[in-house]
Amino acid sequence: MKDSSEKQNGSSGSDQAAPKSPSVLWAGRLAEKPGAEAFAFQASIGVDARLARDDIRLSRVHAAMLGRQGIIPAETAAALDAELARIAGELEAGTLAIDPGAEDIHSFIEGVLTSRLGDAGRMVHAGRSRNDQVAADFRLYLKRTVPELRDEIAAVMGVLLDQAEQHAAAVMPGYTHLQRAQPVSLGHHLVAWCAALDRDRGRFADAVKRLDECPLGAGALAGSGLPLDRAAVAEALGFARPTLNSMDSVADRDFALEIAGGCAITMTHLSRFCEDIVIWASEEFRFINLAEQWSTGSSIMPQKKNPDFAELIRGKAGRTTGNLVTLLTILKGLPYAYDKDLQEDKEALFDSLDTARACLRIFRGMMAAASFNLERMEAACTGGFLEATDAAEYLVRKGLPFRRAHETAALIVRDCLEAGRRSIAEQPLAALKKRSELFEDDVYAALTPAACVAARKLPGGPAPEEVRRQIRELRGRIA
Ligand code: ARG
């Protein structure tokens, strides 16, 4: 935008003056303009430049509607449409650069139009305000980018489900309180992660459905006396309907909160998975082997292979929590309707979207290249009496009340510890029978880690065929 040197900024020559180019949209009322530092402080072009596509699409629909409604001449509407299309093409091709000195993306696009078309460009803003414009741009942007984020989540699930399928029968300890609890399988554990990711996809889909309303026509807050056609604009932009109330249209940022919440929850999930991975990668566990290309070394300790990617994803979850808190805090004290504070919304949400997207992609690559130490996992199922619950259920199946069975199994664990045994299966039948006559020879086959897992085949359980069913179910949902 070389040619926008209309002298709207005033006080030229003073070193307090705002940049002469570009012009601002509100120059008429104010004889004095902010100085350069203050102008830059209130500008948002550095953040909202990524809305350029959406802003142009919106302006084309708005201009066409103004022409159809007889608010501007038909040939002006046609000229605006052609020029907006050209600007979009030039931005795409890189032959037009977004002016970093512009106030925001809306001012920039309108400024280019006016510098090229004169009065025709000055007609495009009839019946609208940047308040409804930015709310609509923001929603359009989210409608096209949040589905991409859902696809990234599905891609992560695809990698995890492949691994889960491969390891549907690979036993490993399941933990509560980070203490060995009961044997499960690696497949079961990985599907647990996927169940959380599946909800994340659902949350984003819900949020996009709810934000699918067009604020255009709300103006600054009070609508417009011009005969705008809100329904046609909403439809042409692909929205389900226009928003209900013009004040709410410019004041509402629930959609940003919901998407930021979705990002924060998704990142919280990734962070927990990464915590598992960091623990699994430790020498004490050695359950997972992260690929060398998904690890980093130490500048001083020559032997190190660190799970930095997992740690960094865990760390970046803090940003998305912070962004959600930022948005909630911005909104909580805002008087109706629009306030400039709302301009801070995009930086926070864009950061959450960028962070979630980057972390999902890194997590996927890291997991696709990871391998597991199946022998270590299986071995870890022995020695912690993870089969004690299954021993109690063995007795329940033979008619003992559960509370008695629980107590009996607990006493057997104590017997074993005293006798220096590592599992109930190491205890001779005579010793078991001293605690309960119900024990028979079949107890030994029932208490191997694999048998414990195979017995728990209820819906949701870790039995291999049930884990495979869960995998099929989730594959169906992301197909
Ligand atoms: N850049 C502004 C934002 O992001 C656009 C709306 C400005 N409206 C206003 N009345 N100053 O919110």
Side-chain angles (χ1 to χ4, degrees):
M1 196 188 156
K2 282 192 211 98
D3 231 36
S4 66
S5 45
E6 291 168 277
K7 298 271 185 301
Q8 291 194 14
N9 282 311
S11 21
S12 57
S14 150
D15 63 4
Q16 271 295 298
K20 247 189 280 177
S21 166
S23 57
V24 295
L25 300 176
W26 35 265
R29 164 69 177 79
L30 306 172
E32 299 286 340
K33 301 301 177 296
E37 188 180 351
F39 183 84
F41 176 79
Q42 61 85 55
S44 58
I45 190 75
V47 171
D48 58 31
R50 70 166 82 184
L51 298 176
R53 259 172 75 174
D54 309 287
D55 197 69
I56 291 171
R57 182 171 169 221
L58 180 155
S59 287
R60 291 181 70 180
V61 168
H62 180 71
M65 180 274 294
L66 292 178
R68 275 200 314 279
Q69 298 296 101
I71 298 167
I72 65 174
E75 51 293 358
T76 303
L80 284 168
D81 189 66
E83 199 54 47
L84 284 162
R86 194 167 305 129
I87 292 169
E90 291 173 25
L91 285 173
E92 177 89 18
T95 50
L96 173 67
I98 292 175
D99 180 356
E103 183 180 353
D104 58 25
I105 192 63
H106 328 290
S107 318
F108 172 71
I109 306 281
E110 190 181 328
V112 177
L113 270 181
T114 300
S115 72
R116 293 182 181 180
L117 300 179
D119 272 348
R122 293 183 182 93
M123 290 187 176
V124 74
H125 207 54
R128 81 178 181 192
S129 153
R130 282 181 296 164
N131 298 355
D132 59 347
Q133 191 177 354
V134 73
D137 280 2
F138 204 2
R139 288 173 187 244
L140 284 174
Y141 175 84
L142 294 172
K143 279 183 63 169
R144 71 181 163 87
T145 56
V146 172
E148 294 169 8
L149 198 61
R150 294 184 72 237
D151 290 344
E152 293 290 356
I153 298 173
V156 170
M157 290 172 69
V159 164
L160 295 176
L161 291 173
D162 285 347
Q163 299 258 24
E165 186 143 43
Q166 209 181 321
H167 302 302
V171 295
M172 73 176 290
Y175 294 81
T176 62
H177 313 268
L178 198 54
Q179 307 288 317
R180 291 178 193 172
Q182 289 186 273
V184 295
S185 72
L186 177 55
H188 195 226
H189 196 125
L190 296 175
V191 173
W193 291 356
C194 289
L197 292 172
D198 183 54
R199 285 192 297 280
D200 293 331
R201 295 188 76 239
R203 224 177 320 274
F204 283 123
D206 289 348
V208 169
K209 229 170 123 186
R210 210 164 6 259
L211 69 77
D212 195 14
E213 296 186 341
C214 184
L216 283 180
L221 80 163
S224 170
L226 297 171
L228 307 177
D229 186 346
R230 291 196 66 202
V233 166
E235 194 189 333
L237 287 172
F239 284 105
R241 65 190 78 84
T243 48
L244 178 84
N245 173 284
S246 65
M247 288 182 69
D248 176 61
S249 303
V250 297
D252 167 41
R253 289 297 183 274
D254 288 4
F255 58 92
L257 288 178
E258 288 191 32
I259 302 290
C263 289
I265 295 172
T266 302
M267 285 299 301
T268 299
H269 290 151
L270 289 185
S271 181
R272 291 183 71 175
F273 308 163
C274 285
E275 174 67 7
D276 277 348
I277 289 166
V278 169
I279 291 171
W280 291 353
S282 70
E283 188 58 29
E284 286 72 10
F285 274 73
R286 265 197 296 122
F287 284 180
I288 196 168
N289 305 310
L290 293 172
E292 294 199 350
Q293 84 217 74
W294 290 104
S295 305
T296 55
S298 160
S299 60
I300 176 169
M301 296 169 285
Q303 85 286 9
K304 289 284 263 171
K305 179 185 167 203
N306 293 327
D308 282 34
F309 291 95
E311 294 169 77
L312 208 42
I313 291 170
R314 195 178 56 188
K316 283 181 188 291
R319 301 167 70 106
T320 51
T321 306
N323 289 330
L324 175 59
V325 174
T326 295
L327 286 169
L328 287 164
T329 309
I330 288 169
L331 287 163
K332 80 172 280 294
L334 282 194
Y336 273 73
Y338 178 89
D339 303 272
K340 182 84 164 187
D341 318 42
L342 289 172
Q343 179 168 284
E344 292 287 310
D345 59 359
K346 286 171 288 301
E347 189 165 0
L349 187 53
F350 290 161
D351 183 66
S352 284
L353 290 166
D354 294 348
T355 300
R357 183 185 137 86
C359 290
L360 285 163
R361 294 176 64 83
I362 294 296
F363 185 79
R364 168 157 59 100
M366 180 179 73
M367 288 309 293
S371 63
F372 296 91
N373 230 324
L374 304 179
E375 305 74 38
R376 290 270 307 176
M377 287 182 166
E378 181 166 11
C381 290
T382 301
F385 300 97
L386 291 83
E387 70 281 23
T389 309
D390 299 271
E393 289 190 354
Y394 173 93
L395 296 173
V396 167
R397 251 182 254 123
K398 305 221 166 183
L400 199 65
F402 175 74
R403 194 45 62 204
R404 291 230 170 285
H406 181 280
E407 193 187 353
T408 304
L411 290 171
I412 290 171
V413 169
R414 289 173 63 159
D415 293 344
C416 288
L417 288 170
E418 269 164 32
R421 309 208 194 282
R422 297 185 63 247
S423 72
I424 296 175
E426 289 179 12
Q427 191 78 322
L429 189 58
L432 295 177
K433 274 190 179 295
K434 255 184 27 199
R435 292 297 180 188
S436 170
E437 277 300 330
L438 294 170
F439 282 113
E440 292 172 75
D441 247 340
D442 61 351
V443 69
Y444 296 103
L447 295 189
T448 66
C452 293
V453 170
R456 283 189 253 103
K457 48 175 173 262
L458 293 180
E465 75 265 26
E466 170 52 24
V467 167
R468 289 192 193 99
R469 188 198 62 79
Q470 294 165 29
I471 293 169
R472 280 196 302 279
E473 162 83 31
L474 287 173
R475 281 205 206 284
R477 291 190 202 172
I478 60 175

